[in-house]
Amino acid sequence: MVGFEYAKKSDNASNKNNVLSDAAVINLDHGDPTVFEEYWGKMGDRCTVEIKGWDLMSYFSDANNVCWFMEPGLEDAIRGLHAAVGNAATDERYIVVGTGSTQLCQAAVHALSSIRGSHPVSVLAAAPYYSTYVEETTYLRSEMYKWEGDARSFDKEGPYIELVTSPNNPDGTIREAVVNKPDGKVIYDFAYYWPHYTPITYCPDHDIMLFTFSKISGHAGSRIGWALVKDKEVAKKMVEYIMVNSIGVGKESQMRAAKILNVLTETCRSETESFFEYGREKMKTRWEKLREVVKQSDHIFTLPKYPEAFCNFSGKLMETYPAFAWVGCKEENDLGSLLMKQKVLTRAGNRCGSDKKHVRVSMLCRDDVFSLFLHRLASLATDSLL
Ligand code: PMP
C-alpha cells in the first residue's frame, strides 16, 4: 500500500537520532504521533511497567467478560478516563479491545453487516474521509460489505453503514451522520475527540464508538484501541472477528496502556502536569505557526477555520486544533506533487475522496520535522512555484 512505501522512503527523516539535513525527506503522510514524546519523557518512571517472564502467559484475561481477552485493569482505566474527560458514555456498554482501532473498525463493519439480511451492505463516509477506510473495506474483498465512497452522494436503497469521524480526519471538522435512513447503522470514530484537539461539547452515547490509544497519548506503537458497544450481539460478533483475526490482543500492550491511561487520568486533576493542557498548548502553538506561514504566503494556501466552543472539560472557550492540517491551494495545482518536490510527503486529497488541490499534513510529528515543514511550505510560496 502506498502509505507504507512512503514510510520506508523517509525513515531517515523521522528517526529522532538523526539531525535533519536539507536533503532529508520529511514524511507527513501518516499521522505518527511522536509530538508528545517530550511530555512522557518528563514523567520519568511513573509509566514504567515491569513484566516478569512468567506473567501474562494465558490467552485468557477474564473468561466471564464478553471480551474475554481484555485485561480487567485496562477496562477500568478506559472507563475511568472517559468519566474524567466526559467524552463518551460508558455505562451499560460493552468494551471491546482491539489491536488499534484499525482492527476494531473492521470488526464493527463485519459485525454490523453479518447481522443484516441482504448483502453486500454499503459502507460510506462523507468526503473528505479517512483514506484508510477504503483499504479496510476493500482489501479482503468481502462479499458481506462494499465500499461505496462519499456518503453525500449515496442514493442506493438497502442496508448501509456510515462511518462518521469527528473531529474529522483529514479536515478537522465536527461531523454528524449525513445519510440518516432507517436502514442504516453508524460507526462513530472518535479518535480525535479529546480535549487537546477539540472542545468537549457533549458526552456522546451512540451505539458504536471507536477510540484509539494512539492519538490520545501518542502511544501508537502499543496498538491499542477500544470500542464502546451498546448491543451485546454486536459486541459478541466483534469479539468473534478478533478471535478469528488474532485470537485476542497482546496483554503486554494492554498492561502498558492501562498504566499510562491511569497516569493520564490522574494528571487531569493536576494544575501543573495535565497532559491535555500540555497537548492543547502544543497543538495550539503549531496551528498558530502554520496559520502565520499561510498568512505570510499571501494566502496562496488555504486552511479551514474552526469555530470556538465551550469545552466542558477545561471550562474554557477553545478552538479545534486538529491532528492533521487540510491544506489547499487556490490555483488548480497538484499540491501533493509540488510539496513532494520540496521533499515533503503528504496525503493527496484525492485519496480522501476530494481533489489534488488539497493535501492532508500530519501535525503530530517531532518539533524539528515540523519546523522544516514550515520552512519548506514558506519556500514553496516565495519561490512562486504555485
Ligand atoms: N481512525 C482514525 C480517524 C485515525 O486517524 C486513525 C489513525 N490514523 C485510526 C482510526 C487508527 O488508529 P489505530 O492506531 O488505533 O489503529
PDB file of all heavy atoms in Angstrom, residues 287-305 326-333 335 357-358 377-378 380-382 384 386:
ATOM      1  N   TRP A 287      -0.506  25.207  15.351  1.00  0.00           N
ATOM      2  CA  TRP A 287      -1.510  25.780  14.435  1.00  0.00           C
ATOM      3  C   TRP A 287      -1.268  27.272  14.213  1.00  0.00           C
ATOM      4  O   TRP A 287      -1.425  27.782  13.110  1.00  0.00           O
ATOM      5  CB  TRP A 287      -2.929  25.500  14.952  1.00  0.00           C
ATOM      6  CG  TRP A 287      -3.400  24.176  14.414  1.00  0.00           C
ATOM      7  CD1 TRP A 287      -3.301  22.955  15.010  1.00  0.00           C
ATOM      8  CD2 TRP A 287      -3.990  23.952  13.124  1.00  0.00           C
ATOM      9  NE1 TRP A 287      -3.786  21.979  14.166  1.00  0.00           N
ATOM     10  CE2 TRP A 287      -4.220  22.564  13.011  1.00  0.00           C
ATOM     11  CE3 TRP A 287      -4.328  24.774  12.050  1.00  0.00           C
ATOM     12  CZ2 TRP A 287      -4.789  21.986  11.866  1.00  0.00           C
ATOM     13  CZ3 TRP A 287      -4.892  24.214  10.910  1.00  0.00           C
ATOM     14  CH2 TRP A 287      -5.120  22.829  10.828  1.00  0.00           C
ATOM     15  N   GLU A 288      -0.867  27.975  15.272  1.00  0.00           N
ATOM     16  CA  GLU A 288      -0.602  29.418  15.112  1.00  0.00           C
ATOM     17  C   GLU A 288       0.555  29.627  14.142  1.00  0.00           C
ATOM     18  O   GLU A 288       0.505  30.498  13.275  1.00  0.00           O
ATOM     19  CB  GLU A 288      -0.293  30.051  16.474  1.00  0.00           C
ATOM     20  CG  GLU A 288      -1.568  30.257  17.277  1.00  0.00           C
ATOM     21  CD  GLU A 288      -1.325  30.604  18.744  1.00  0.00           C
ATOM     22  OE1 GLU A 288      -0.155  30.630  19.184  1.00  0.00           O
ATOM     23  OE2 GLU A 288      -2.320  30.812  19.448  1.00  0.00           O
ATOM     24  N   LYS A 289       1.592  28.804  14.277  1.00  0.00           N
ATOM     25  CA  LYS A 289       2.757  28.949  13.380  1.00  0.00           C
ATOM     26  C   LYS A 289       2.364  28.642  11.940  1.00  0.00           C
ATOM     27  O   LYS A 289       2.774  29.340  11.017  1.00  0.00           O
ATOM     28  CB  LYS A 289       3.874  28.002  13.823  1.00  0.00           C
ATOM     29  CG  LYS A 289       4.573  28.464  15.087  1.00  0.00           C
ATOM     30  CD  LYS A 289       5.712  27.531  15.427  1.00  0.00           C
ATOM     31  CE  LYS A 289       6.425  27.991  16.691  1.00  0.00           C
ATOM     32  NZ  LYS A 289       7.337  26.983  17.205  1.00  0.00           N
ATOM     33  N   LEU A 290       1.563  27.591  11.759  1.00  0.00           N
ATOM     34  CA  LEU A 290       1.155  27.224  10.399  1.00  0.00           C
ATOM     35  C   LEU A 290       0.292  28.326   9.788  1.00  0.00           C
ATOM     36  O   LEU A 290       0.484  28.723   8.631  1.00  0.00           O
ATOM     37  CB  LEU A 290       0.399  25.887  10.429  1.00  0.00           C
ATOM     38  CG  LEU A 290      -0.163  25.416   9.097  1.00  0.00           C
ATOM     39  CD1 LEU A 290       0.934  25.212   8.049  1.00  0.00           C
ATOM     40  CD2 LEU A 290      -0.933  24.088   9.274  1.00  0.00           C
ATOM     41  N   ARG A 291      -0.637  28.868  10.587  1.00  0.00           N
ATOM     42  CA  ARG A 291      -1.511  29.932  10.061  1.00  0.00           C
ATOM     43  C   ARG A 291      -0.691  31.169   9.697  1.00  0.00           C
ATOM     44  O   ARG A 291      -0.991  31.872   8.737  1.00  0.00           O
ATOM     45  CB  ARG A 291      -2.612  30.272  11.071  1.00  0.00           C
ATOM     46  CG  ARG A 291      -3.679  29.165  11.175  1.00  0.00           C
ATOM     47  CD  ARG A 291      -4.965  29.662  11.806  1.00  0.00           C
ATOM     48  NE  ARG A 291      -5.883  28.564  12.109  1.00  0.00           N
ATOM     49  CZ  ARG A 291      -6.697  27.995  11.214  1.00  0.00           C
ATOM     50  NH1 ARG A 291      -6.724  28.408   9.972  1.00  0.00           N
ATOM     51  NH2 ARG A 291      -7.489  26.990  11.569  1.00  0.00           N
ATOM     52  N   GLU A 292       0.376  31.423  10.458  1.00  0.00           N
ATOM     53  CA  GLU A 292       1.239  32.563  10.167  1.00  0.00           C
ATOM     54  C   GLU A 292       1.942  32.372   8.809  1.00  0.00           C
ATOM     55  O   GLU A 292       2.007  33.307   8.006  1.00  0.00           O
ATOM     56  CB  GLU A 292       2.257  32.719  11.322  1.00  0.00           C
ATOM     57  CG  GLU A 292       3.113  33.962  11.287  1.00  0.00           C
ATOM     58  CD  GLU A 292       2.304  35.269  11.197  1.00  0.00           C
ATOM     59  OE1 GLU A 292       1.181  35.333  11.761  1.00  0.00           O
ATOM     60  OE2 GLU A 292       2.806  36.211  10.532  1.00  0.00           O
ATOM     61  N   VAL A 293       2.433  31.160   8.555  1.00  0.00           N
ATOM     62  CA  VAL A 293       3.094  30.894   7.263  1.00  0.00           C
ATOM     63  C   VAL A 293       2.094  31.077   6.120  1.00  0.00           C
ATOM     64  O   VAL A 293       2.410  31.679   5.082  1.00  0.00           O
ATOM     65  CB  VAL A 293       3.712  29.464   7.236  1.00  0.00           C
ATOM     66  CG1 VAL A 293       4.153  29.068   5.831  1.00  0.00           C
ATOM     67  CG2 VAL A 293       4.880  29.377   8.202  1.00  0.00           C
ATOM     68  N   VAL A 294       0.874  30.610   6.323  1.00  0.00           N
ATOM     69  CA  VAL A 294      -0.160  30.754   5.284  1.00  0.00           C
ATOM     70  C   VAL A 294      -0.460  32.233   5.050  1.00  0.00           C
ATOM     71  O   VAL A 294      -0.579  32.687   3.910  1.00  0.00           O
ATOM     72  CB  VAL A 294      -1.434  29.960   5.683  1.00  0.00           C
ATOM     73  CG1 VAL A 294      -2.614  30.317   4.792  1.00  0.00           C
ATOM     74  CG2 VAL A 294      -1.153  28.462   5.613  1.00  0.00           C
ATOM     75  N   LYS A 295      -0.501  33.001   6.151  1.00  0.00           N
ATOM     76  CA  LYS A 295      -0.763  34.443   6.032  1.00  0.00           C
ATOM     77  C   LYS A 295       0.378  35.130   5.267  1.00  0.00           C
ATOM     78  O   LYS A 295       0.139  35.900   4.331  1.00  0.00           O
ATOM     79  CB  LYS A 295      -0.868  35.031   7.449  1.00  0.00           C
ATOM     80  CG  LYS A 295      -1.488  36.381   7.507  1.00  0.00           C
ATOM     81  CD  LYS A 295      -1.756  36.748   8.953  1.00  0.00           C
ATOM     82  CE  LYS A 295      -1.608  38.232   9.135  1.00  0.00           C
ATOM     83  NZ  LYS A 295      -1.370  38.593  10.537  1.00  0.00           N
ATOM     84  N   GLN A 296       1.616  34.785   5.664  1.00  0.00           N
ATOM     85  CA  GLN A 296       2.797  35.377   5.004  1.00  0.00           C
ATOM     86  C   GLN A 296       2.842  35.022   3.521  1.00  0.00           C
ATOM     87  O   GLN A 296       3.428  35.746   2.727  1.00  0.00           O
ATOM     88  CB  GLN A 296       4.096  34.885   5.661  1.00  0.00           C
ATOM     89  CG  GLN A 296       4.291  35.307   7.103  1.00  0.00           C
ATOM     90  CD  GLN A 296       4.426  36.812   7.257  1.00  0.00           C
ATOM     91  OE1 GLN A 296       4.950  37.487   6.380  1.00  0.00           O
ATOM     92  NE2 GLN A 296       3.914  37.349   8.354  1.00  0.00           N
ATOM     93  N   SER A 297       2.244  33.889   3.170  1.00  0.00           N
ATOM     94  CA  SER A 297       2.275  33.451   1.767  1.00  0.00           C
ATOM     95  C   SER A 297       1.252  34.224   0.942  1.00  0.00           C
ATOM     96  O   SER A 297       1.018  33.882  -0.217  1.00  0.00           O
ATOM     97  CB  SER A 297       1.967  31.963   1.673  1.00  0.00           C
ATOM     98  OG  SER A 297       0.567  31.744   1.785  1.00  0.00           O
ATOM     99  N   ASP A 298       0.633  35.204   1.568  1.00  0.00           N
ATOM    100  CA  ASP A 298      -0.401  35.972   0.896  1.00  0.00           C
ATOM    101  C   ASP A 298      -1.601  35.081   0.578  1.00  0.00           C
ATOM    102  O   ASP A 298      -2.286  35.266  -0.427  1.00  0.00           O
ATOM    103  CB  ASP A 298       0.159  36.593  -0.390  1.00  0.00           C
ATOM    104  CG  ASP A 298      -0.324  38.023  -0.532  1.00  0.00           C
ATOM    105  OD1 ASP A 298      -0.976  38.508   0.408  1.00  0.00           O
ATOM    106  OD2 ASP A 298      -0.070  38.629  -1.595  1.00  0.00           O
ATOM    107  N   HIS A 299      -1.801  34.127   1.437  1.00  0.00           N
ATOM    108  CA  HIS A 299      -2.942  33.207   1.313  1.00  0.00           C
ATOM    109  C   HIS A 299      -2.978  32.452  -0.020  1.00  0.00           C
ATOM    110  O   HIS A 299      -4.039  32.185  -0.568  1.00  0.00           O
ATOM    111  CB  HIS A 299      -4.268  33.926   1.603  1.00  0.00           C
ATOM    112  CG  HIS A 299      -4.349  34.382   3.024  1.00  0.00           C
ATOM    113  ND1 HIS A 299      -4.694  33.557   4.051  1.00  0.00           N
ATOM    114  CD2 HIS A 299      -4.054  35.575   3.591  1.00  0.00           C
ATOM    115  CE1 HIS A 299      -4.639  34.219   5.195  1.00  0.00           C
ATOM    116  NE2 HIS A 299      -4.245  35.448   4.950  1.00  0.00           N
ATOM    117  N   ILE A 300      -1.784  32.130  -0.522  1.00  0.00           N
ATOM    118  CA  ILE A 300      -1.715  31.210  -1.667  1.00  0.00           C
ATOM    119  C   ILE A 300      -2.283  29.865  -1.228  1.00  0.00           C
ATOM    120  O   ILE A 300      -2.927  29.158  -1.978  1.00  0.00           O
ATOM    121  CB  ILE A 300      -0.242  31.054  -2.129  1.00  0.00           C
ATOM    122  CG1 ILE A 300       0.178  32.288  -2.899  1.00  0.00           C
ATOM    123  CG2 ILE A 300      -0.056  29.809  -2.977  1.00  0.00           C
ATOM    124  CD1 ILE A 300       1.614  32.268  -3.337  1.00  0.00           C
ATOM    125  N   PHE A 301      -2.023  29.548   0.036  1.00  0.00           N
ATOM    126  CA  PHE A 301      -2.554  28.306   0.607  1.00  0.00           C
ATOM    127  C   PHE A 301      -3.841  28.615   1.375  1.00  0.00           C
ATOM    128  O   PHE A 301      -4.048  29.752   1.811  1.00  0.00           O
ATOM    129  CB  PHE A 301      -1.550  27.690   1.588  1.00  0.00           C
ATOM    130  CG  PHE A 301      -0.214  27.429   0.984  1.00  0.00           C
ATOM    131  CD1 PHE A 301       0.891  28.180   1.363  1.00  0.00           C
ATOM    132  CD2 PHE A 301      -0.056  26.447   0.024  1.00  0.00           C
ATOM    133  CE1 PHE A 301       2.135  27.947   0.802  1.00  0.00           C
ATOM    134  CE2 PHE A 301       1.185  26.204  -0.546  1.00  0.00           C
ATOM    135  CZ  PHE A 301       2.277  26.958  -0.161  1.00  0.00           C
ATOM    136  N   THR A 302      -4.652  27.586   1.552  1.00  0.00           N
ATOM    137  CA  THR A 302      -5.862  27.752   2.374  1.00  0.00           C
ATOM    138  C   THR A 302      -5.841  26.737   3.511  1.00  0.00           C
ATOM    139  O   THR A 302      -5.237  25.670   3.395  1.00  0.00           O
ATOM    140  CB  THR A 302      -7.137  27.501   1.543  1.00  0.00           C
ATOM    141  OG1 THR A 302      -7.094  26.160   1.035  1.00  0.00           O
ATOM    142  CG2 THR A 302      -7.272  28.484   0.393  1.00  0.00           C
ATOM    143  N   LEU A 303      -6.504  27.131   4.610  1.00  0.00           N
ATOM    144  CA  LEU A 303      -6.680  26.222   5.750  1.00  0.00           C
ATOM    145  C   LEU A 303      -8.112  26.390   6.229  1.00  0.00           C
ATOM    146  O   LEU A 303      -8.642  27.504   6.174  1.00  0.00           O
ATOM    147  CB  LEU A 303      -5.754  26.635   6.901  1.00  0.00           C
ATOM    148  CG  LEU A 303      -4.283  26.234   6.851  1.00  0.00           C
ATOM    149  CD1 LEU A 303      -3.552  26.872   8.026  1.00  0.00           C
ATOM    150  CD2 LEU A 303      -4.123  24.713   6.898  1.00  0.00           C
ATOM    151  N   PRO A 304      -8.748  25.328   6.735  1.00  0.00           N
ATOM    152  CA  PRO A 304     -10.102  25.517   7.261  1.00  0.00           C
ATOM    153  C   PRO A 304     -10.076  26.394   8.514  1.00  0.00           C
ATOM    154  O   PRO A 304      -9.066  26.448   9.217  1.00  0.00           O
ATOM    155  CB  PRO A 304     -10.546  24.089   7.646  1.00  0.00           C
ATOM    156  CG  PRO A 304      -9.530  23.167   7.066  1.00  0.00           C
ATOM    157  CD  PRO A 304      -8.282  23.941   6.860  1.00  0.00           C
ATOM    158  N   LYS A 305     -11.205  27.063   8.759  1.00  0.00           N
ATOM    159  CA  LYS A 305     -11.346  27.843  10.008  1.00  0.00           C
ATOM    160  C   LYS A 305     -12.257  27.036  10.931  1.00  0.00           C
ATOM    161  O   LYS A 305     -13.219  26.440  10.470  1.00  0.00           O
ATOM    162  CB  LYS A 305     -11.996  29.191   9.720  1.00  0.00           C
ATOM    163  CG  LYS A 305     -11.067  30.152   9.043  1.00  0.00           C
ATOM    164  CD  LYS A 305     -11.449  31.603   9.413  1.00  0.00           C
ATOM    165  CE  LYS A 305     -10.412  32.599   8.966  1.00  0.00           C
ATOM    166  NZ  LYS A 305     -10.162  32.576   7.527  1.00  0.00           N
ATOM    167  N   TRP A 326      -5.536  20.338   6.752  1.00  0.00           N
ATOM    168  CA  TRP A 326      -6.094  20.122   5.417  1.00  0.00           C
ATOM    169  C   TRP A 326      -5.720  21.358   4.602  1.00  0.00           C
ATOM    170  O   TRP A 326      -6.406  22.372   4.639  1.00  0.00           O
ATOM    171  CB  TRP A 326      -7.601  19.938   5.559  1.00  0.00           C
ATOM    172  CG  TRP A 326      -8.379  19.594   4.332  1.00  0.00           C
ATOM    173  CD1 TRP A 326      -9.416  20.314   3.808  1.00  0.00           C
ATOM    174  CD2 TRP A 326      -8.252  18.430   3.506  1.00  0.00           C
ATOM    175  NE1 TRP A 326      -9.919  19.676   2.698  1.00  0.00           N
ATOM    176  CE2 TRP A 326      -9.226  18.514   2.491  1.00  0.00           C
ATOM    177  CE3 TRP A 326      -7.388  17.325   3.512  1.00  0.00           C
ATOM    178  CZ2 TRP A 326      -9.374  17.545   1.502  1.00  0.00           C
ATOM    179  CZ3 TRP A 326      -7.541  16.356   2.533  1.00  0.00           C
ATOM    180  CH2 TRP A 326      -8.521  16.468   1.545  1.00  0.00           C
ATOM    181  N   VAL A 327      -4.568  21.269   3.940  1.00  0.00           N
ATOM    182  CA  VAL A 327      -4.017  22.434   3.256  1.00  0.00           C
ATOM    183  C   VAL A 327      -4.473  22.426   1.798  1.00  0.00           C
ATOM    184  O   VAL A 327      -4.401  21.395   1.132  1.00  0.00           O
ATOM    185  CB  VAL A 327      -2.466  22.421   3.309  1.00  0.00           C
ATOM    186  CG1 VAL A 327      -1.890  23.710   2.711  1.00  0.00           C
ATOM    187  CG2 VAL A 327      -1.970  22.230   4.736  1.00  0.00           C
ATOM    188  N   GLY A 328      -4.938  23.555   1.344  1.00  0.00           N
ATOM    189  CA  GLY A 328      -5.369  23.666  -0.051  1.00  0.00           C
ATOM    190  C   GLY A 328      -4.568  24.743  -0.743  1.00  0.00           C
ATOM    191  O   GLY A 328      -3.848  25.524  -0.114  1.00  0.00           O
ATOM    192  N   CYS A 329      -4.661  24.787  -2.064  1.00  0.00           N
ATOM    193  CA  CYS A 329      -4.070  25.908  -2.798  1.00  0.00           C
ATOM    194  C   CYS A 329      -5.139  26.455  -3.735  1.00  0.00           C
ATOM    195  O   CYS A 329      -6.056  25.736  -4.129  1.00  0.00           O
ATOM    196  CB  CYS A 329      -2.812  25.502  -3.534  1.00  0.00           C
ATOM    197  SG  CYS A 329      -3.043  24.185  -4.707  1.00  0.00           S
ATOM    198  N   LYS A 330      -4.999  27.729  -4.050  1.00  0.00           N
ATOM    199  CA  LYS A 330      -6.101  28.378  -4.771  1.00  0.00           C
ATOM    200  C   LYS A 330      -6.156  27.972  -6.234  1.00  0.00           C
ATOM    201  O   LYS A 330      -7.210  27.798  -6.797  1.00  0.00           O
ATOM    202  CB  LYS A 330      -5.978  29.884  -4.625  1.00  0.00           C
ATOM    203  CG  LYS A 330      -6.355  30.312  -3.216  1.00  0.00           C
ATOM    204  CD  LYS A 330      -6.505  31.787  -3.092  1.00  0.00           C
ATOM    205  CE  LYS A 330      -6.961  32.138  -1.690  1.00  0.00           C
ATOM    206  NZ  LYS A 330      -6.589  33.502  -1.333  1.00  0.00           N
ATOM    207  N   GLU A 331      -4.987  27.851  -6.841  1.00  0.00           N
ATOM    208  CA  GLU A 331      -4.985  27.514  -8.268  1.00  0.00           C
ATOM    209  C   GLU A 331      -5.218  26.016  -8.442  1.00  0.00           C
ATOM    210  O   GLU A 331      -5.155  25.257  -7.497  1.00  0.00           O
ATOM    211  CB  GLU A 331      -3.637  27.907  -8.892  1.00  0.00           C
ATOM    212  CG  GLU A 331      -3.208  29.329  -8.603  1.00  0.00           C
ATOM    213  CD  GLU A 331      -4.211  30.358  -9.094  1.00  0.00           C
ATOM    214  OE1 GLU A 331      -4.830  30.122 -10.141  1.00  0.00           O
ATOM    215  OE2 GLU A 331      -4.387  31.386  -8.417  1.00  0.00           O
ATOM    216  N   GLU A 332      -5.449  25.627  -9.694  1.00  0.00           N
ATOM    217  CA  GLU A 332      -5.678  24.205  -9.979  1.00  0.00           C
ATOM    218  C   GLU A 332      -4.356  23.436  -9.994  1.00  0.00           C
ATOM    219  O   GLU A 332      -3.917  22.937 -11.019  1.00  0.00           O
ATOM    220  CB  GLU A 332      -6.392  24.046 -11.337  1.00  0.00           C
ATOM    221  CG  GLU A 332      -7.842  24.474 -11.333  1.00  0.00           C
ATOM    222  CD  GLU A 332      -8.695  23.703 -10.325  1.00  0.00           C
ATOM    223  OE1 GLU A 332      -8.499  22.484 -10.196  1.00  0.00           O
ATOM    224  OE2 GLU A 332      -9.536  24.326  -9.661  1.00  0.00           O
ATOM    225  N   ASN A 333      -3.687  23.384  -8.874  1.00  0.00           N
ATOM    226  CA  ASN A 333      -2.400  22.696  -8.811  1.00  0.00           C
ATOM    227  C   ASN A 333      -2.533  21.339  -8.149  1.00  0.00           C
ATOM    228  O   ASN A 333      -3.483  21.081  -7.419  1.00  0.00           O
ATOM    229  CB  ASN A 333      -1.422  23.536  -7.987  1.00  0.00           C
ATOM    230  CG  ASN A 333      -0.783  24.617  -8.815  1.00  0.00           C
ATOM    231  OD1 ASN A 333      -0.176  24.342  -9.830  1.00  0.00           O
ATOM    232  ND2 ASN A 333      -0.945  25.854  -8.375  1.00  0.00           N
ATOM    233  N   LEU A 335      -1.113  19.868  -5.372  1.00  0.00           N
ATOM    234  CA  LEU A 335      -0.321  20.357  -4.236  1.00  0.00           C
ATOM    235  C   LEU A 335       0.602  19.272  -3.673  1.00  0.00           C
ATOM    236  O   LEU A 335       1.731  19.550  -3.264  1.00  0.00           O
ATOM    237  CB  LEU A 335      -1.259  20.902  -3.148  1.00  0.00           C
ATOM    238  CG  LEU A 335      -0.601  21.588  -1.964  1.00  0.00           C
ATOM    239  CD1 LEU A 335       0.343  22.701  -2.380  1.00  0.00           C
ATOM    240  CD2 LEU A 335      -1.663  22.144  -1.007  1.00  0.00           C
ATOM    241  N   LYS A 357      -5.980  19.492  -5.270  1.00  0.00           N
ATOM    242  CA  LYS A 357      -5.644  20.834  -4.770  1.00  0.00           C
ATOM    243  C   LYS A 357      -5.417  20.809  -3.260  1.00  0.00           C
ATOM    244  O   LYS A 357      -4.912  21.758  -2.678  1.00  0.00           O
ATOM    245  CB  LYS A 357      -6.818  21.789  -5.035  1.00  0.00           C
ATOM    246  CG  LYS A 357      -6.763  22.480  -6.362  1.00  0.00           C
ATOM    247  CD  LYS A 357      -8.081  23.136  -6.688  1.00  0.00           C
ATOM    248  CE  LYS A 357      -8.547  24.140  -5.657  1.00  0.00           C
ATOM    249  NZ  LYS A 357      -9.847  24.736  -5.982  1.00  0.00           N
ATOM    250  N   HIS A 358      -5.875  19.733  -2.635  1.00  0.00           N
ATOM    251  CA  HIS A 358      -5.747  19.614  -1.182  1.00  0.00           C
ATOM    252  C   HIS A 358      -4.794  18.489  -0.801  1.00  0.00           C
ATOM    253  O   HIS A 358      -4.704  17.489  -1.509  1.00  0.00           O
ATOM    254  CB  HIS A 358      -7.115  19.303  -0.545  1.00  0.00           C
ATOM    255  CG  HIS A 358      -8.039  20.463  -0.552  1.00  0.00           C
ATOM    256  ND1 HIS A 358      -8.912  20.696  -1.587  1.00  0.00           N
ATOM    257  CD2 HIS A 358      -8.202  21.474   0.343  1.00  0.00           C
ATOM    258  CE1 HIS A 358      -9.598  21.796  -1.328  1.00  0.00           C
ATOM    259  NE2 HIS A 358      -9.189  22.292  -0.166  1.00  0.00           N
ATOM    260  N   LEU A 377       7.265  24.886   3.294  1.00  0.00           N
ATOM    261  CA  LEU A 377       5.979  25.412   2.811  1.00  0.00           C
ATOM    262  C   LEU A 377       6.149  26.883   2.434  1.00  0.00           C
ATOM    263  O   LEU A 377       5.678  27.336   1.381  1.00  0.00           O
ATOM    264  CB  LEU A 377       4.909  25.254   3.899  1.00  0.00           C
ATOM    265  CG  LEU A 377       3.473  25.536   3.497  1.00  0.00           C
ATOM    266  CD1 LEU A 377       2.963  24.484   2.509  1.00  0.00           C
ATOM    267  CD2 LEU A 377       2.550  25.570   4.719  1.00  0.00           C
ATOM    268  N   ALA A 378       6.861  27.613   3.289  1.00  0.00           N
ATOM    269  CA  ALA A 378       7.101  29.036   3.015  1.00  0.00           C
ATOM    270  C   ALA A 378       7.910  29.187   1.731  1.00  0.00           C
ATOM    271  O   ALA A 378       7.621  30.066   0.904  1.00  0.00           O
ATOM    272  CB  ALA A 378       7.834  29.670   4.199  1.00  0.00           C
ATOM    273  N   LEU A 380       7.963  27.233  -0.835  1.00  0.00           N
ATOM    274  CA  LEU A 380       7.098  26.915  -1.981  1.00  0.00           C
ATOM    275  C   LEU A 380       6.359  28.178  -2.419  1.00  0.00           C
ATOM    276  O   LEU A 380       6.188  28.433  -3.611  1.00  0.00           O
ATOM    277  CB  LEU A 380       6.111  25.808  -1.586  1.00  0.00           C
ATOM    278  CG  LEU A 380       5.215  25.228  -2.669  1.00  0.00           C
ATOM    279  CD1 LEU A 380       6.030  24.654  -3.813  1.00  0.00           C
ATOM    280  CD2 LEU A 380       4.331  24.131  -2.078  1.00  0.00           C
ATOM    281  N   ALA A 381       5.943  28.960  -1.421  1.00  0.00           N
ATOM    282  CA  ALA A 381       5.212  30.200  -1.751  1.00  0.00           C
ATOM    283  C   ALA A 381       6.166  31.258  -2.311  1.00  0.00           C
ATOM    284  O   ALA A 381       5.892  31.858  -3.353  1.00  0.00           O
ATOM    285  CB  ALA A 381       4.516  30.721  -0.501  1.00  0.00           C
ATOM    286  N   THR A 382       7.321  31.448  -1.634  1.00  0.00           N
ATOM    287  CA  THR A 382       8.202  32.535  -2.068  1.00  0.00           C
ATOM    288  C   THR A 382       8.886  32.222  -3.400  1.00  0.00           C
ATOM    289  O   THR A 382       9.185  33.123  -4.179  1.00  0.00           O
ATOM    290  CB  THR A 382       9.285  32.876  -1.020  1.00  0.00           C
ATOM    291  OG1 THR A 382       9.871  31.644  -0.609  1.00  0.00           O
ATOM    292  CG2 THR A 382       8.704  33.577   0.179  1.00  0.00           C
ATOM    293  N   SER A 384       7.546  31.143  -5.791  1.00  0.00           N
ATOM    294  CA  SER A 384       6.466  31.280  -6.785  1.00  0.00           C
ATOM    295  C   SER A 384       6.283  30.020  -7.606  1.00  0.00           C
ATOM    296  O   SER A 384       6.142  30.044  -8.814  1.00  0.00           O
ATOM    297  CB  SER A 384       6.736  32.436  -7.748  1.00  0.00           C
ATOM    298  OG  SER A 384       6.839  33.609  -7.020  1.00  0.00           O
ATOM    299  N   LEU A 386       3.881  28.133  -7.242  1.00  0.00           N
ATOM    300  CA  LEU A 386       2.439  27.865  -7.376  1.00  0.00           C
ATOM    301  C   LEU A 386       1.821  28.751  -8.438  1.00  0.00           C
ATOM    302  O   LEU A 386       2.204  29.894  -8.588  1.00  0.00           O
ATOM    303  CB  LEU A 386       1.751  28.153  -6.042  1.00  0.00           C
ATOM    304  CG  LEU A 386       1.797  27.023  -5.044  1.00  0.00           C
ATOM    305  CD1 LEU A 386       1.358  27.534  -3.688  1.00  0.00           C
ATOM    306  CD2 LEU A 386       0.906  25.878  -5.448  1.00  0.00           C
TER     307      LEU A 386
END
